[in-house]
Amino acid sequence: MQIELIVQDSKSGNAWDMSELVNSGISWETNIAERPGKLTFEYIDQENISINEGSPVSFKIDGQGIFFGYVFKKKQSKSGKIQITAYDQMRYLKNKDTYVFSGLTASEIFLRITSDFKLKAEVVNASTYVVAPRVHDNKTLFEVIQYGIDETLINTGSWYMLRDNFGKLQFINVNTLKTDLFIGDESLLVDYDYSSSIDDDSYNQIKLIKENQETQKREVYIVKDSSTI
């Protein structure tokens, strides 16, 4: 397996091949939810290497592009170790703005927002359902796009998602990402851990308060599982 890790300093423009300089494992994390792709690595400080925030980072394995993003964090220890954290373009969808959309599909909303923020993007699979008009006041860009995706899923059953594919944000149908791989006790799976918990995101009673514009009163709705209370 051949690893290629290239960083181009945002200030000097110099490019550094860090493939042989990384002294601890390169960590790459990605998620199907709103969290951006994350790449971290560590190297020993060297006089001729300068990596500043905003520097583009390219990571490939056997020539295949795995991650392309930008340096957001630097951490240096007394011993001279420097830890770099880079995120892909999904990180910019955390920016907040106000949008009012009407008569657009989820994929059209995606293109409008990515164009406004000058992000590299493409629609791999266009959606056709026209999302109901809505005012998005001071919401993250991801929340605005995700609303359109959720409405499309609820009304058509078609599930779309966002991902960064080596430097390009993509709007894509989840079903197109299916593979022929099966993971089981006779195929690829060598060990596993299983846990269950009611500590996180578990509720046996939900209370919803709604402002009634006609009566000018608050309406309270409660749903609960009495058997577990």
Side-chain angles (χ1 to χ4, degrees), residues 32 146 149-150 152-153 156-161 172-175:
I32 196 173
Q146 189 61 45
I149 291 176
D150 291 342
T152 301
L153 175 60
T156 69
S158 297
W159 185 13
Y160 297 87
M161 62 170 284
I172 190 169
N173 190 304
V174 173
N175 289 328

Side-chain angles (χ1 to χ4, degrees), residues 200-214:
D200 300 311
D201 298 325
S202 297
Y203 309 93
N204 51 21
Q205 179 170 301
I206 298 176
K207 182 177 182 180
L208 175 65
I209 300 176
K210 177 184 177 182
E211 297 284 351
N212 190 314
Q213 301 298 327
E214 295 182 358

Side-chain angles (χ1 to χ4, degrees), residues 97-124:
D97 206 337
T98 297
Y99 277 99
V100 180
F101 286 124
S102 178
L104 298 180
T105 65
S107 55
E108 290 171 339
I109 291 172
F110 166 78
L111 286 178
R112 178 76 64 84
I113 290 176
T114 53
S115 175
D116 288 348
F117 282 80
K118 296 179 172 53
L119 301 175
K120 297 178 181 178
E122 68 174 347
V123 171
V124 179

Side-chain angles (χ1 to χ4, degrees), residues 75-91:
K75 182 179 179 181
Q76 184 168 355
S77 66
K78 183 179 179 181
S79 62
K81 292 182 179 180
I82 298 179
Q83 185 181 74
I84 299 293
T85 300
Y87 294 105
D88 60 26
Q89 281 194 114
M90 289 286 289
R91 173 63 179 76

Side-chain angles (χ1 to χ4, degrees), residues 23-155:
N23 70 334
S24 65
I26 300 171
S27 174
W28 173 54
E29 301 175 23
T30 186
N31 195 291
I32 196 173
E34 64 181 287
R35 289 194 294 273
K38 176 182 176 182
L39 187 82
T40 58
F41 61 91
E42 189 178 272
Y43 69 98
I44 300 297
D45 187 21
Q46 299 190 34
E47 186 175 345
N48 64 327
I49 295 180
S50 175
I51 298 177
N52 290 283
E53 290 81 354
S55 299
V57 179
S58 169
F59 177 55
K60 297 180 180 180
I61 297 179
D62 294 333
Q64 177 69 40
I66 301 298
F67 173 91
F68 187 91
Y70 300 89
V71 174
F72 273 77
K73 297 179 183 178
K74 287 174 55 180
K75 182 179 179 181
Q76 184 168 355
S77 66
K78 183 179 179 181
S79 62
K81 292 182 179 180
I82 298 179
Q83 185 181 74
I84 299 293
T85 300
Y87 294 105
D88 60 26
Q89 281 194 114
M90 289 286 289
R91 173 63 179 76
Y92 296 108
L93 296 184
K94 287 188 174 184
N95 291 331
K96 290 187 175 183
D97 206 337
T98 297
Y99 277 99
V100 180
F101 286 124
S102 178
L104 298 180
T105 65
S107 55
E108 290 171 339
I109 291 172
F110 166 78
L111 286 178
R112 178 76 64 84
I113 290 176
T114 53
S115 175
D116 288 348
F117 282 80
K118 296 179 172 53
L119 301 175
K120 297 178 181 178
E122 68 174 347
V123 171
V124 179
N125 308 113
S127 58
T128 57
Y129 175 77
V130 177
V131 179
R134 184 182 178 92
V135 177
H136 302 274
D137 186 20
N138 194 33
K139 299 293 184 180
T140 67
L141 306 183
F142 182 86
E143 287 176 314
V144 179
I145 299 170
Q146 189 61 45
Y147 171 77
I149 291 176
D150 291 342
E151 286 294 298
T152 301
L153 175 60
I154 292 170
N155 289 279

